[in-house]
Amino acid sequence: MHILITGGCGFIASNFVHYLLERYDYRIINLDALTYAGNPENLREFENNPRYKFIHGRIEDVKAVKKALRGVDRIVHFAAESHVDRSITNAQPFIQTNVAGTQVLLDACRQAKIDRFIHVSTDEVYGSLGDKDRFTETTPLAPNSPYAASKAASDLLVRATAKTHGLPSIITRCSNNYGPYQFPEKLIPLMITNALEDKPLPVYGDGLNVRDWIHVTDHCAALDTVLHRGIVGETYNIGGESERKNIDVVKTILRLLEKSESLITFVDDRPGHDRRYAMDIKKIKRQLKWSPAVTFEKGLELTIDWYRRNEKWWRRVKSGRYRQYYQKMYGQRLAEGKKP
Ligand code: NAD
Ligand code: DAU
């Protein structure tokens, strides 16, 4: 099988490329624009692998997409602008990539008559929950951030292309991932690397927002299942069944690293900050017999261990442009932050 992965140099997709190349004899084509989040180092070991090909290009570029689709049977579409905070500062790149780019891919896949389009989406399209309930696949879409709105738009474009033109597609919606190669703008790698550097850990608002964490290898296993056994036209929720308050996640990281809780700094909240996400994953369990296997405690230990062993990787990522980003995003907030 020939599989096109979009955004393969990012966090989840690079883990998925590792996952596929280690388990199958498929040919993988990776189309990636190498934005700030795309890191070729994540896939360096496959550079000379005859079953792996990298194409540097944007998903909005019709020519690049057509080239990447040559001979492809299935596509797993990850490429996206993925960070909520950046979408609050500037929504334009999110519309460009997540919405316009997805439509270019859909049109090209239709013309190429590919036999499966797997669209990797997120629980954030459902909005925010109160204390009870969970998101099911039929929960109405109610995105609250520009990022979530752009992902919801892309989900609807996939749905429309499937209904109108018969493109054989499947949508997956996953909860918060963590694990190796995650860019340290997201909560867990930011907190791990800041703690390793003895820098303050910026916790938004009261720290009581809840996320449903999944180790990235569990997400990869779920996507593997959907790729091979998913039913065309369906949407599947994927989650780790590990709800945690942000402050508890941060305290656990500090405990595992044997660092002081005095590093915690409460800072001004994210505007429109969703309070709670929680996934109901009964459908994928029942229909496809997939369940998460990594507990949050085990996954966090493995992740901390990875960041400890790969200091060169994250120190390089946290240099250069990242410093300006960090200063802009956190400089003022940390200066005005409060200790617990
Ligand atoms: P990421 O930000 O780490 O990586 C995104 C990748 O896409 C990068 O390699 C980047 O270079 C590439 N890219 C960006 N714009 C592109 C464009 N126009 N053309 C080609 N490539 C482009 O992302 P991630 O956190 O690994 O998320 C991957 C996908 O999974 C996204 O679609 C995201 O919405 C979804 N998702 C993420 C999470 C999570 O917790 N991170 C959870 C659920 C769903
Ligand atoms: O739920 C799936 C989504 O998870 C994905 O679709 C997104 O691509 C991914 O970025 C993630 O979104 P979140 O906004 O939930 O993740 P983030 O890591 O940015 O934040 C997790 C929680 O931690 C959230 O409640 C905000 C909080 N937070 C985050 C950062 C970066 C802090 O308290 N401090 C921080 O510095």
Side-chain angles (χ1 to χ4, degrees):
M1 183 148 54
H2 278 36
I3 301 176
L4 173 62
I5 303 288
T6 66
C9 295
F11 161 49
I12 303 172
S14 63
N15 277 281
F16 193 57
V17 171
H18 279 264
Y19 187 99
L20 288 182
L21 285 173
E22 282 155 15
R23 282 169 181 76
Y24 301 100
D25 61 358
Y26 299 158
R27 269 184 59 84
I28 307 291
I29 296 118
N30 168 18
L31 174 66
D32 195 298
L34 298 182
T35 67
Y36 78 92
N39 188 344
E41 270 185 59
N42 301 358
L43 295 171
R44 187 75 78 214
E45 69 188 87
F46 301 120
E47 255 170 19
N48 299 317
N49 186 324
R51 292 193 289 116
Y52 171 73
K53 184 175 167 193
F54 173 64
I55 299 178
H56 185 193
R58 301 190 65 86
I59 55 168
E60 310 92 288
D61 177 351
V62 178
K63 253 171 98 180
V65 167
K66 282 192 171 158
K67 181 178 164 200
L69 274 172
R70 254 175 241 149
V72 163
D73 305 297
R74 299 188 173 192
I75 173 170
V76 188
H77 173 35
F78 293 89
E81 288 294 334
S82 68
H83 193 39
V84 172
D85 291 330
R86 290 184 193 255
S87 81
I88 295 168
T89 310
N90 180 12
Q92 285 307 327
F94 289 74
I95 305 308
Q96 196 56 38
T97 291
N98 303 0
V99 185
T102 298
Q103 186 60 51
V104 169
L105 277 181
L106 288 165
D107 290 340
C109 286
R110 194 154 61 78
Q111 281 158 18
K113 299 196 172 12
I114 66 145
D115 75 45
R116 208 69 94 246
F117 187 104
I118 313 290
H119 180 61
V120 181
S121 190
T122 168
D123 58 1
E124 297 203 14
V125 297
Y126 297 123
S128 186
L129 290 165
D131 292 345
K132 295 199 190 80
D133 299 335
R134 285 164 186 276
F135 299 128
T136 70
E137 287 81 356
T138 55
T139 300
L141 303 190
N144 292 318
S145 71
Y147 161 69
S150 70
K151 290 297 291 187
S154 66
D155 288 17
L156 296 179
L157 293 172
V158 174
R159 177 191 155 91
T161 309
K163 293 275 175 195
T164 305
H165 299 290
L167 184 76
S169 37
I170 299 174
I171 296 172
T172 61
R173 297 193 177 124
C174 190
S175 63
N176 285 63
N177 285 227
Y178 66 100
Y181 302 111
Q182 187 167 28
F183 194 88
E185 62 187 352
K186 309 281 164 56
L187 181 76
I188 288 184
L190 180 68
M191 298 298 153
I192 295 173
T193 56
N194 274 16
L196 286 170
E197 294 184 285
D198 291 308
K199 286 187 174 159
L201 309 192
V203 175
Y204 296 167
D206 59 9
L208 299 180
N209 302 65
V210 172
R211 295 295 183 264
D212 177 353
W213 295 97
I214 180 170
H215 191 266
V216 67
T217 53
D218 271 336
H219 189 186
C220 290
L223 290 172
D224 175 12
T225 306
V226 169
L227 179 68
H228 293 98
R229 302 206 303 276
I231 297 167
V232 167
E234 295 289 343
T235 294
Y236 296 101
N237 280 356
I238 300 168
E241 296 188 318
S242 291
E243 282 184 58
R244 295 287 184 283
K245 294 187 184 83
N246 292 340
I247 189 67
D248 294 338
V249 172
V250 172
K251 284 183 178 171
T252 309
I253 291 170
L254 288 170
R255 182 172 51 74
L256 291 170
L257 286 171
E258 298 178 343
K259 298 279 182 178
S260 162
E261 286 188 11
S262 64
L263 287 175
I264 295 173
T265 307
F266 288 97
V267 300
D268 266 3
D269 210 352
R270 169 188 281 175
H273 194 177
D274 286 336
R275 194 63 171 168
R276 175 172 166 257
Y277 303 146
M279 287 300 240
D280 180 325
I281 57 168
K282 282 205 259 327
K283 179 174 171 180
I284 191 168
K285 280 182 169 173
R286 196 183 54 242
Q287 247 187 39
L288 305 183
K289 311 285 177 237
W290 173 87
S291 290
V294 184
T295 63
F296 184 67
E297 287 63 33
K298 183 69 198 162
L300 199 52
E301 272 175 33
L302 291 170
T303 305
I304 287 177
D305 185 51
W306 190 87
Y307 280 88
R308 270 190 159 133
R309 284 186 291 105
N310 290 277
E311 193 170 328
K312 236 167 110 184
W313 181 91
W314 61 261
R315 283 206 185 272
R316 192 152 40 229
V317 170
K318 281 183 112 174
S319 64
R321 271 187 301 169
Y322 180 89
R323 290 215 187 111
Q324 288 154 32
Y325 162 82
Y326 194 80
Q327 182 52 32
K328 189 170 162 200
M329 214 51 114
Y330 295 100
Q332 179 80 9
R333 282 155 108 188
L334 280 169
E336 293 167 358
K338 292 185 193 65
K339 289 290 167 192

PDB file of all heavy atoms in Angstrom, residues 30 86 125 128 139 153 163 230 300 331:
ATOM      1  N   ASN A  30       5.546  11.686   2.540  1.00  0.00           N
ATOM      2  CA  ASN A  30       5.271  12.711   3.550  1.00  0.00           C
ATOM      3  C   ASN A  30       5.316  14.085   2.894  1.00  0.00           C
ATOM      4  O   ASN A  30       6.369  14.523   2.442  1.00  0.00           O
ATOM      5  CB  ASN A  30       6.335  12.584   4.661  1.00  0.00           C
ATOM      6  CG  ASN A  30       6.332  13.762   5.620  1.00  0.00           C
ATOM      7  OD1 ASN A  30       5.368  14.526   5.697  1.00  0.00           O
ATOM      8  ND2 ASN A  30       7.424  13.907   6.375  1.00  0.00           N
ATOM      9  N   ARG A  86      -1.733  30.417  19.353  1.00  0.00           N
ATOM     10  CA  ARG A  86      -1.306  31.114  18.126  1.00  0.00           C
ATOM     11  C   ARG A  86      -2.515  31.544  17.304  1.00  0.00           C
ATOM     12  O   ARG A  86      -2.497  32.577  16.638  1.00  0.00           O
ATOM     13  CB  ARG A  86      -0.390  30.209  17.280  1.00  0.00           C
ATOM     14  CG  ARG A  86       0.977  29.985  17.895  1.00  0.00           C
ATOM     15  CD  ARG A  86       1.858  29.174  16.950  1.00  0.00           C
ATOM     16  NE  ARG A  86       3.043  28.684  17.621  1.00  0.00           N
ATOM     17  CZ  ARG A  86       4.281  29.188  17.450  1.00  0.00           C
ATOM     18  NH1 ARG A  86       4.494  30.159  16.618  1.00  0.00           N
ATOM     19  NH2 ARG A  86       5.310  28.667  18.113  1.00  0.00           N
ATOM     20  N   VAL A 125     -13.558  20.564  18.380  1.00  0.00           N
ATOM     21  CA  VAL A 125     -14.663  21.017  17.509  1.00  0.00           C
ATOM     22  C   VAL A 125     -15.992  20.989  18.254  1.00  0.00           C
ATOM     23  O   VAL A 125     -16.933  21.681  17.887  1.00  0.00           O
ATOM     24  CB  VAL A 125     -14.772  20.167  16.214  1.00  0.00           C
ATOM     25  CG1 VAL A 125     -13.523  20.303  15.367  1.00  0.00           C
ATOM     26  CG2 VAL A 125     -15.081  18.703  16.518  1.00  0.00           C
ATOM     27  N   SER A 128     -16.925  23.155  24.722  1.00  0.00           N
ATOM     28  CA  SER A 128     -16.519  22.931  26.114  1.00  0.00           C
ATOM     29  C   SER A 128     -17.632  22.235  26.886  1.00  0.00           C
ATOM     30  O   SER A 128     -18.812  22.455  26.620  1.00  0.00           O
ATOM     31  CB  SER A 128     -16.227  24.295  26.742  1.00  0.00           C
ATOM     32  OG  SER A 128     -15.708  24.137  28.036  1.00  0.00           O
ATOM     33  N   THR A 139     -22.496  14.823  19.220  1.00  0.00           N
ATOM     34  CA  THR A 139     -22.527  16.125  19.915  1.00  0.00           C
ATOM     35  C   THR A 139     -22.416  17.221  18.846  1.00  0.00           C
ATOM     36  O   THR A 139     -21.549  17.140  17.968  1.00  0.00           O
ATOM     37  CB  THR A 139     -21.321  16.232  20.892  1.00  0.00           C
ATOM     38  OG1 THR A 139     -21.421  15.179  21.835  1.00  0.00           O
ATOM     39  CG2 THR A 139     -21.306  17.573  21.604  1.00  0.00           C
ATOM     40  N   ALA A 153     -14.480  23.544  10.423  1.00  0.00           N
ATOM     41  CA  ALA A 153     -14.738  23.845   9.007  1.00  0.00           C
ATOM     42  C   ALA A 153     -14.162  22.734   8.129  1.00  0.00           C
ATOM     43  O   ALA A 153     -14.811  22.272   7.179  1.00  0.00           O
ATOM     44  CB  ALA A 153     -14.117  25.194   8.640  1.00  0.00           C
ATOM     45  N   LYS A 163     -20.340  13.360   0.859  1.00  0.00           N
ATOM     46  CA  LYS A 163     -21.772  13.280   0.497  1.00  0.00           C
ATOM     47  C   LYS A 163     -21.988  13.650  -0.967  1.00  0.00           C
ATOM     48  O   LYS A 163     -22.733  12.996  -1.687  1.00  0.00           O
ATOM     49  CB  LYS A 163     -22.601  14.248   1.369  1.00  0.00           C
ATOM     50  CG  LYS A 163     -22.647  13.880   2.821  1.00  0.00           C
ATOM     51  CD  LYS A 163     -23.746  12.870   3.110  1.00  0.00           C
ATOM     52  CE  LYS A 163     -23.660  12.448   4.564  1.00  0.00           C
ATOM     53  NZ  LYS A 163     -24.410  11.259   4.880  1.00  0.00           N
ATOM     54  N   GLY A 230     -11.636   0.872   9.552  1.00  0.00           N
ATOM     55  CA  GLY A 230     -12.660   1.898   9.722  1.00  0.00           C
ATOM     56  C   GLY A 230     -13.713   1.817   8.624  1.00  0.00           C
ATOM     57  O   GLY A 230     -13.420   1.430   7.496  1.00  0.00           O
ATOM     58  N   LEU A 300       3.237   9.452  31.094  1.00  0.00           N
ATOM     59  CA  LEU A 300       3.954  10.657  31.515  1.00  0.00           C
ATOM     60  C   LEU A 300       5.401  10.313  31.892  1.00  0.00           C
ATOM     61  O   LEU A 300       6.339  11.040  31.541  1.00  0.00           O
ATOM     62  CB  LEU A 300       3.221  11.300  32.696  1.00  0.00           C
ATOM     63  CG  LEU A 300       3.543  12.773  32.965  1.00  0.00           C
ATOM     64  CD1 LEU A 300       3.384  13.637  31.725  1.00  0.00           C
ATOM     65  CD2 LEU A 300       2.669  13.299  34.092  1.00  0.00           C
ATOM     66  N   GLY A 331       6.044  36.736  28.445  1.00  0.00           N
ATOM     67  CA  GLY A 331       6.877  37.715  29.149  1.00  0.00           C
ATOM     68  C   GLY A 331       6.092  38.521  30.178  1.00  0.00           C
ATOM     69  O   GLY A 331       6.320  38.436  31.392  1.00  0.00           O
TER      70      GLY A 331
END
